[in-house]
């Protein structure tokens, strides 16, 4: 990751205080940079690396910070740095795989303002927002909402009303999506490529709407997870093909899909006899079978042959290293 001295958002793309109805400086003061270190033998080390960096947002006076969960998955060390350069150790509280949110707790007072949780349901295409990065306005971006819609990720991930914005922030992981009222309406998760009218490829950001955090926050703080049975997980990476098929593009470690003999290149035709043609249909069909541990019957096509296989699903969290107690 580049140091703050090495990059900045071009001035013409930075947010303009005169165009905002809130104090931008105060809002951006709530954003911290985040560094995490993960053990080399962690389940996610190969795909996400052992050194991760992004940002997070202070949402409580006691130093509770919300970020995007992949930054802190299986982390054994987490460090937060304020815009003034003060660094504080933190520990992981929770990573909710369903929403994608992560929570960390600063182990010393941060002395930073809290960013209030907003209402992401108020957002609509055309709304002006700020993608707030750690380091102040030079690391923040004036952006516009272009869509609020369902998003299915290749890693068995599906959310409703994901927020898509342009232009894209170059350091999107854990950025604060700040709404028109100056409150937190989302957390930056991905940079994606979108084909605009005329065929041009335009990068955009996907943020997780903050409304997904509100109903689970108490559970995450008290239990470290959501207080319901985990969804069944198979441990594959999948994509949609142009032929409206689901293709397995990779397998995650020693997970159920690999144990059952699935291979990259397999096409999925059905789940428990129900035809699926999109990632969203695929995931929902699996999750409708029951909680983690349920058997998942799949109809696959491999090199022209069609066959059935049943996979015993698992709880994704059981494959991950749990946070150290402080």
């Amino acid at each position: 990751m580049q140091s703050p001295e090495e990059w900045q958002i071009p001035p013409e793309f930075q947010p303009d205080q005169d165009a905002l109805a809130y104090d931008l400086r105060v809002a951006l003061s709530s954003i911290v940079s985040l560094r995490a270190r993960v053990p080399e033998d962690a389940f996610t080390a190969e795909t996400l690396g052992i050194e991760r960096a992004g940002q997070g947002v202070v949402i409580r006076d006691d130093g509770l910070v919300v970020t995007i969960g992949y930054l802190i998955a299986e982390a054994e060390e987490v460090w937060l740095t304020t815009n003034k350069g003060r660094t504080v150790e933190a520990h992981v509280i929770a990573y909710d795989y369903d929403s994608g949110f992560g929570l960390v707790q600063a182990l010393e007072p941060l002395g930073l303002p809290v960013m209030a949780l907003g209402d992401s349901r108020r957002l609509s295409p055309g709304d002006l927002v700020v993608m707030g990065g750690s380091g102040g306005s030079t690391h923040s971006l004036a952006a516009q909402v272009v869509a609020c819609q369902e998003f299915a990720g290749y890693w068995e991930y599906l959310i409703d009303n994901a927020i898509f914005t342009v232009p894209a922030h170059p350091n999107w992981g854990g950025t604060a999506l700040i709404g028109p009222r100056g409150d937190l309406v989302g957390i930056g998760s991905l940079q994606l490529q979108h084909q605009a009218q005329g065929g041009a490829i335009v990068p955009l950001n996907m943020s997780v709407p903050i409304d997904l955090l509100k109903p689970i926050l108490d559970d995450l703080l008290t239990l470290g997870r959501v207080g319901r049975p985990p969804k069944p997980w198979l441990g594959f990476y999948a994509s949609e093909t142009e032929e409206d098929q689901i293709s397995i593009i990779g397998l995650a470690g020693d997970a159920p899909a690999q144990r059952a003999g699935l291979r990259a290149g397999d096409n999925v035709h059905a789940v428990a006899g129900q035809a699926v043609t999109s990632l969203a249909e695929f995931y929902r069909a699996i999750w409708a079978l029951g909680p983690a541990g349920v058997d998942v019957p799949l109809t696959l096509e491999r090199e022209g042959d069609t066959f059935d296989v049943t996979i015993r699903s698992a709880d994704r969290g059981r494959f991950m290293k749990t946070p150290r107690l402080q």
Side-chain angles (χ1 to χ4, degrees):
M1 181 182 176
Q2 295 174 310
S3 70
E5 292 76 18
E6 294 175 327
W7 75 279
Q8 69 173 24
I9 300 291
E12 63 269 28
F13 294 105
Q14 294 174 20
D16 178 7
Q17 175 64 80
D18 293 339
L20 302 173
Y22 59 90
D23 190 325
L24 178 64
R25 183 190 61 80
V26 172
L28 297 180
S29 296
S30 302
I31 304 167
V32 293
S33 66
L34 182 151
R35 293 182 292 109
R37 173 178 285 274
V38 174
E40 293 185 358
D41 62 345
F43 189 81
T44 58
E46 182 176 354
T47 53
L48 297 175
I50 61 172
E51 299 277 353
R52 303 173 194 169
Q55 42 247 308
V57 187
V58 179
I59 60 170
R60 242 176 32 177
D61 287 328
D62 63 359
L64 180 67
V65 170
V66 61
T67 185
I68 198 66
Y70 60 73
L71 293 177
I72 60 168
E74 303 186 277
E76 61 181 359
E77 294 180 17
V78 177
W79 297 90
L80 307 174
T81 303
T82 70
N83 288 352
K84 294 184 177 180
R86 179 166 171 261
T87 298
V88 171
E89 188 175 4
H91 73 92
V92 177
I93 292 179
Y95 173 13
D96 177 53
Y97 303 105
D98 290 348
S99 66
F101 285 119
L103 294 175
V104 299
Q105 177 67 54
L107 298 181
E108 298 177 31
L110 288 170
L112 298 179
V114 170
M115 190 177 296
L117 302 187
D119 186 350
S120 51
R121 296 170 301 179
R122 290 178 176 268
L123 289 179
S124 58
D127 285 349
L128 301 180
V129 292
V130 171
M131 290 289 288
S134 60
S137 60
T138 60
H139 288 180
S140 300
L141 180 71
Q144 184 176 38
V145 176
V146 293
C148 298
Q149 63 188 44
E150 178 181 87
F151 172 78
Y154 63 85
W155 62 97
E156 298 179 69
Y157 177 74
L158 176 67
I159 60 172
D160 296 324
N161 298 316
I163 305 164
F164 297 88
T165 57
V166 292
H169 196 292
N171 185 23
W172 57 87
T175 49
L177 185 65
I178 306 173
R181 297 168 178 238
D183 46 20
L184 185 64
V185 291
I187 291 290
S189 176
L190 298 172
Q191 185 179 102
L192 304 168
Q193 302 296 318
H194 171 69
Q195 185 168 354
Q197 290 182 350
I201 302 299
V202 178
L204 50 73
N205 289 133
M206 187 278 277
S207 295
V208 181
I210 204 64
D211 280 9
L212 294 181
L213 179 64
K214 296 174 185 177
I216 63 174
L217 181 56
D218 287 345
D219 279 356
L220 296 181
L221 292 174
T222 56
L223 304 174
R225 57 178 176 79
V226 177
R228 59 174 178 263
K231 291 176 178 175
W233 176 75
L234 301 185
F236 56 73
Y237 307 120
S239 67
E240 299 174 5
T241 71
E242 293 181 357
E243 294 78 25
D244 290 331
Q245 289 187 324
I246 305 303
S247 181
I248 303 299
I249 58 175
L251 302 169
D254 187 28
Q258 181 157 280
R259 293 179 186 177
L262 266 66
R263 301 178 190 172
D266 289 347
N267 290 325
V268 181
H269 288 279
V271 177
Q274 175 186 336
V276 291
T277 59
S278 70
L279 285 179
E281 286 181 346
F282 185 26
Y283 299 155
R284 289 191 175 109
I286 293 173
W287 298 338
L289 296 175
V294 70
D295 286 342
V296 179
L298 299 180
T299 301
L300 302 178
E301 178 189 344
R302 177 184 298 163
E303 298 177 350
D305 294 328
T306 301
F307 59 96
D308 295 325
V309 63
T310 297
I311 307 176
R312 175 63 59 88
S313 65
D315 173 3
R316 186 189 328 228
R318 293 189 178 275
F319 286 75
M320 310 294 178
K321 292 181 179 294
T322 55
R324 296 179 301 169
L325 294 177
Q326 298 294 324

